[in-house]
Amino acid sequence: MSKRGEQLQNRGARGKRRAAAERSGAADPAPRGPGGKPPRTGWRLWLRRLFVWGAGVAVLGLVFLAFAVGFAASSLPSFATLQATQPGQTIIIRARDGRELVEIGPSFGEWLEYDEIPRSMTDAMVAVEDKRFRSHFGVDPVRLTGAVAEWITGSRSRIGGTSTITQQLARNLFLNNNRTPDRKAREAVLAMALEWKFSKEEILELYLNKVYFGGGAYGIDSASRKFFSHPANELSVEEAAIIAGLVKAPSQYSPTADVQAAVDRAKVVLRLMREQGFISADQADVDVSTVQLKEQAGQNSVRYFTDWVLPQLDIILPETYEPIEVWTTLDIGMQRAATASIEANTPKGAQGALVSLDRDGAILAMVGGTDYVASNYNRATSALRQPGSAWKLFVYLAALEAGYTPEDKVVDTPVTIDGWSPRNSNGRNVGETDLRTAFAYSINTVAAQLGNEVGFGTVASMARRFGIDSKVDTNPSMVLGASEMRVIEMTQAFAGVAAKGAPVEPYGITKVTGASGEVLYRRESQRQSPAVPDYVVAGITDLLQAAVQTGTGRAADIGRPVAGKTGTTSSNKDGWFIGFSSGITTGVWMGRDDAKPVPGLQGGRAPAQAFAAYMRYAVRDRPVEPFDVTLEPPEWLEPDEEALFGEPEDYYYIDEQGNAIEPSRRDPGAGPFGVEGERGPNAPPAASQDFLEEATGGALPQNQRPPPRRPPPQPPALKPGEQ
């Protein structure tokens, strides 16, 4: 039988079997594919469908991507428009005489066309930022795959990031730095659109003229002039490596901030250039550390002031992106003198800060440290340090307001208050003395007794009246300056005394003008009501003057009337001198940032000497102004309840933060007061009976009079010791 006949016979047999199965009701046999093979089922079928669906989705995605890229490319500005557009806002800060202090914001050099850019610069940038720049289409698939692999494995082996040079340009031109999937997707689309519309040379030209290199420098020409003092078309291989290394982290690798970090990063760039064939091995072995960097201009301390001033623009100005000029109160000559005085007098290993205010609060000079480049932390406005005996200003202000006079007798004797026993710095007690001497020689035991008598809350309240905003504790040791203060607020308080008791507010901006000269902001003069009566101002000025003439502040004498106070904390951790003369108030602090002791540091030494060195220059063109210390207290003393707290019949207390508290409005059990103004067990002491007698003019029978307010006189034991 032939082969064809056998096939027909087999087919007939299969047909008979199928017909028999149908007649018997048996299940249909399994379906067959072509040639009698069983069809694909299970995972094979799903794999095939997945492949088909995936291919379809990919095709649709590519179509959509092509449409998005084409639309973005058609919407991109022209090359000339992108070349003319520069980012950021330029802010020029001027001194009080109009001279330019500093220019903040972007700095742009000359635009270099691609043919003018040194080949070493383009090669260095491509080597470190995007080695496949000339072959990819805006997004590097290899880099992208590597980034996904790193995300899965947690590895961090790559030197660069995932963004290509084109993606970085797209981000700098059109987007922000948010690390969101949406932003990354738009960045990729824009990068491909840039590659579609512009050549590789045009993209590199845009990138190298617009990328940020730190220090306000945008573009390689601005960076070259900033760091090397010459235009970018003169860049050497080593200099190009330094500049290319900045893009990753401008603040970290800036030669002006960390030379060694910049050199190390440049060596990485040179190695990559050699590995990618841009330079020879000999060129890669050059000593980058021999590159001559531009010497940074002096007077860097002015940046402490500008850093303090600039954030205030967000408050006083509406949002604007136009160039502006900020006219400030800073005096260039005084700033130089302040910087020199801190540098010359600050002990080795310590830091110093200075704030100088005019009589209306205008900041004439501000120094936040010994070197801004080494540390831009502003110790004049940010650091919280214990003021020591400089805090006694508020203790004696409260005592004078309570009725003391500079001639009143007090007793320097050991004292214990609530378990706290202060001691004088020289370890001695002199017995009876007067208030003026106790202040001039900064006798701690007298200050403690006065604070206890007038009330620690009253002292805190006095500090609040003169502008102290920092937290003030009201435990007994507060009278010796245990609470931490800022230099600027302590100087502000002393300036209030110099201003006849009227609190002052430090300020640094007088006006702001726009690009066309229009005034966007002008500071209005402010008038403050006196915080204390005239006789209190006269009394405290008398005491402050005595501290300089005969007491612990003698090193601050400048040959004209000076009033001030020293401050020294335990173990010589902080030294202060704050004082005023001829309408200028200056505060000086010295110490270590880690609050470790500084051998020999006392307020009456280095800080007072720095004060004197600065003030001799600051007041040289001002007339001599004798202090008015004529003390004319009223015949009878009465608290100014109506002016300070309300109606005279209301009885107020001062809480531990120095705030007025009306007992009748206190919640039950809240603080030291009970219900309806009843005094609780922890209530502060009320006014003494003899004080009330003087205030009301009343008299008690002799047998009902309390003992005298001040301790009885004792014979002097020793002469007053210096703090």
Side-chain angles (χ1 to χ4, degrees):
M1 183 182 295
S2 66
K3 187 173 182 181
R4 176 64 178 169
E6 290 180 356
Q7 291 177 347
L8 292 173
Q9 185 177 359
N10 290 337
R11 185 178 301 171
R14 286 197 298 271
K16 292 179 180 180
R17 288 196 297 271
R18 187 181 300 112
E22 291 176 355
R23 288 194 298 270
S24 63
D28 291 342
R32 298 282 176 172
K37 296 181 180 180
R40 294 176 181 175
T41 59
W43 66 270
R44 293 181 180 179
L45 177 61
W46 285 109
L47 183 62
R48 181 181 180 183
R49 291 176 178 175
L50 183 63
F51 176 78
V52 173
W53 293 343
V57 171
V59 171
L60 290 176
L62 288 175
V63 172
F64 176 79
L65 179 62
F67 175 79
V69 171
F71 179 79
S74 64
S75 303
L76 288 178
S78 66
F79 186 88
T81 302
L82 292 177
Q83 180 181 0
T85 304
Q86 299 290 16
Q89 178 187 34
T90 302
I91 302 175
I92 297 177
I93 302 179
R94 299 191 178 279
R96 67 187 311 187
D97 61 0
R99 283 185 286 176
E100 181 178 321
L101 288 175
V102 67
E103 181 177 336
I104 305 295
S107 172
F108 307 103
E110 296 293 329
W111 186 277
L112 298 182
E113 296 183 359
Y114 181 80
D115 293 338
E116 299 175 308
I117 301 173
R119 181 63 181 268
S120 59
M121 186 69 250
T122 58
D123 290 345
M125 193 64 70
V126 169
V128 72
E129 290 297 319
D130 189 2
K131 66 180 181 180
R132 281 177 289 275
F133 168 74
R134 299 189 183 279
S135 60
H136 64 62
F137 50 87
V139 177
D140 187 350
V142 178
R143 265 187 155 181
L144 189 59
T145 304
V148 173
E150 285 191 359
W151 178 74
I152 296 174
T153 62
S155 172
R156 290 292 182 270
S157 58
R158 289 178 299 113
I159 294 176
T162 60
S163 296
T164 63
I165 284 178
T166 315
Q167 285 177 275
Q168 294 179 44
L169 178 62
R171 181 171 63 248
N172 291 338
L173 291 177
F174 309 113
L175 303 172
N176 54 39
N177 290 319
N178 294 335
R179 294 179 176 273
T180 61
D182 175 67
R183 198 273 294 166
K184 293 294 290 184
R186 287 186 291 138
E187 176 186 290
V189 170
L190 287 170
M192 288 185 280
L194 286 169
E195 294 273 354
W196 184 329
K197 187 166 186 175
F198 303 118
S199 67
K200 292 287 186 179
E201 290 74 19
E202 289 175 322
I203 290 173
L204 264 181
E205 180 181 331
L206 284 170
Y207 180 81
L208 291 174
N209 281 284
K210 285 182 172 293
V211 69
Y212 181 60
F213 292 101
Y218 284 82
I220 56 173
D221 190 64
S222 177
S224 179
R225 295 175 189 274
K226 177 178 178 62
F227 300 128
F228 310 121
S229 301
H230 60 70
N233 54 13
E234 300 175 9
L235 284 170
S236 65
V237 174
E238 307 95 295
E239 293 171 340
I242 291 176
I243 289 181
L246 292 173
V247 176
K248 181 179 180 181
S251 61
Q252 181 177 348
Y253 298 118
S254 172
T256 59
D258 191 335
V259 174
Q260 189 57 48
V263 169
D264 292 342
R265 178 65 176 168
K267 290 179 179 178
V268 173
V269 176
L270 291 172
R271 175 175 60 80
L272 292 173
M273 293 177 70
R274 179 181 59 79
E275 292 175 354
Q276 297 171 34
F278 291 122
I279 58 176
S280 65
D282 292 339
Q283 290 176 302
D285 288 336
V286 297
D287 188 359
V288 185
S289 61
T290 61
V291 173
Q292 294 295 318
L293 296 173
K294 178 181 178 181
E295 184 177 352
Q296 295 301 302
Q299 190 69 0
N300 63 67
S301 71
V302 75
R303 292 300 304 274
Y304 289 114
F305 173 75
T306 58
D307 287 354
W308 179 76
V309 161
L310 283 175
Q312 300 173 26
L313 296 175
D314 295 334
I315 300 174
I316 65 177
L317 287 183
E319 186 174 6
T320 177
Y321 297 99
E322 69 170 312
I324 59 174
E325 295 188 359
V326 181
W327 301 74
T328 72
T329 60
L330 199 78
D331 185 287
I332 292 179
M334 293 185 188
Q335 181 68 21
R336 291 198 180 104
T339 303
S341 70
I342 292 297
E343 291 177 350
N345 292 282
T346 302
K348 185 178 180 180
Q351 281 286 351
L354 181 150
V355 175
S356 185
L357 306 178
D358 210 339
R359 61 179 81 246
D360 66 340
I363 293 181
L364 302 172
M366 176 184 288
V367 180
T370 55
D371 188 343
Y372 180 88
V373 174
S375 172
N376 61 9
Y377 179 62
N378 195 335
R379 297 156 188 85
T381 61
S382 300
L384 286 166
R385 304 299 292 244
Q386 291 182 339
S389 291
W391 180 263
K392 291 175 183 174
L393 171 77
F394 309 113
V395 179
Y396 281 79
L397 277 169
L400 291 166
E401 190 176 52
Y404 277 91
T405 66
E407 290 79 15
D408 281 346
K409 299 299 181 182
V410 290
V411 178
D412 172 18
T413 185
V415 62
T416 298
I417 304 171
D418 294 339
W420 173 64
S421 300
R423 59 183 296 274
N424 297 324
S425 59
N426 58 16
R428 301 183 300 227
N429 299 101
V430 301
E432 185 182 74
T433 184
D434 57 50
L435 202 71
R436 183 181 292 108
T437 302
F439 184 86
Y441 288 91
S442 203
I443 299 177
N444 290 337
T445 59
V446 172
Q449 294 176 66
L450 292 174
N452 185 53
E453 182 173 345
V454 300
F456 304 119
T458 303
V459 176
S461 176
M462 184 64 69
R464 290 279 183 257
R465 290 193 229 171
F466 280 87
I468 297 298
D469 292 326
S470 297
K471 180 181 178 181
V472 179
D473 293 326
T474 53
N475 51 45
S477 62
M478 65 91 72
V479 298
L480 302 185
S483 299
E484 294 180 328
M485 300 290 129
R486 295 178 176 84
V487 177
I488 191 169
E489 61 182 337
M490 286 296 295
T491 308
Q492 171 186 357
F494 276 73
V497 175
K500 309 296 185 184
V504 301
E505 184 71 25
Y507 70 96
I509 299 176
T510 58
K511 70 175 180 178
V512 180
T513 59
S516 58
E518 74 278 16
V519 177
L520 305 177
Y521 164 83
R522 188 185 301 275
R523 185 181 187 276
E524 302 295 336
S525 60
Q526 300 176 358
R527 299 183 62 183
Q528 296 277 4
S529 300
V532 291
D534 292 342
Y535 71 88
V536 175
V537 176
I540 196 66
T541 305
D542 184 340
L543 301 182
L544 291 167
Q545 184 174 232
V548 176
Q549 291 177 338
T550 62
T552 59
R554 290 191 295 272
D557 186 11
I558 59 173
R560 65 168 67 196
V562 175
K565 185 72 185 74
T566 59
T568 308
T569 61
S570 60
S571 303
N572 303 96
K573 296 177 182 177
D574 302 270
W576 296 70
F577 186 86
I578 312 172
F580 51 86
S581 178
S582 298
I584 296 179
T585 304
T586 301
V588 177
W589 166 87
M590 292 178 184
R592 289 174 57 100
D593 289 336
D594 57 10
K596 291 183 178 179
V598 180
L601 177 62
Q602 293 183 2
R605 294 184 181 178
Q609 293 165 356
F611 171 91
Y614 165 75
M615 288 292 283
R616 288 191 187 97
Y617 176 90
V619 302
R620 74 191 195 286
D621 295 329
R622 296 197 175 199
V624 176
E625 297 181 12
F627 297 125
D628 181 8
V629 295
T630 304
L631 192 64
E632 297 181 357
E635 295 182 0
W636 56 276
L637 192 65
E638 179 177 21
D640 191 3
E641 294 152 327
E642 183 174 358
L644 296 179
F645 304 129
E647 297 300 325
E649 61 268 15
D650 293 337
Y651 200 134
Y652 285 77
Y653 295 105
I654 302 297
D655 69 5
E656 61 180 15
Q657 299 302 326
N659 299 313
I661 300 297
E662 182 181 359
S664 60
R665 298 182 182 175
R666 294 284 296 193
D667 294 332
F673 305 102
V675 183
E676 295 299 327
E678 295 179 3
R679 295 174 55 79
N682 299 320
S688 60
Q689 189 62 50
D690 60 337
F691 178 86
L692 293 175
E693 180 182 347
E694 294 177 14
T696 59
L700 294 174
Q702 184 68 31
N703 59 356
Q704 296 183 20
R705 293 184 182 178
R709 165 173 72 179
R710 306 178 184 88
Q714 298 181 14
L718 297 168
K719 292 183 178 180
E722 295 187 6
Q723 182 186 12

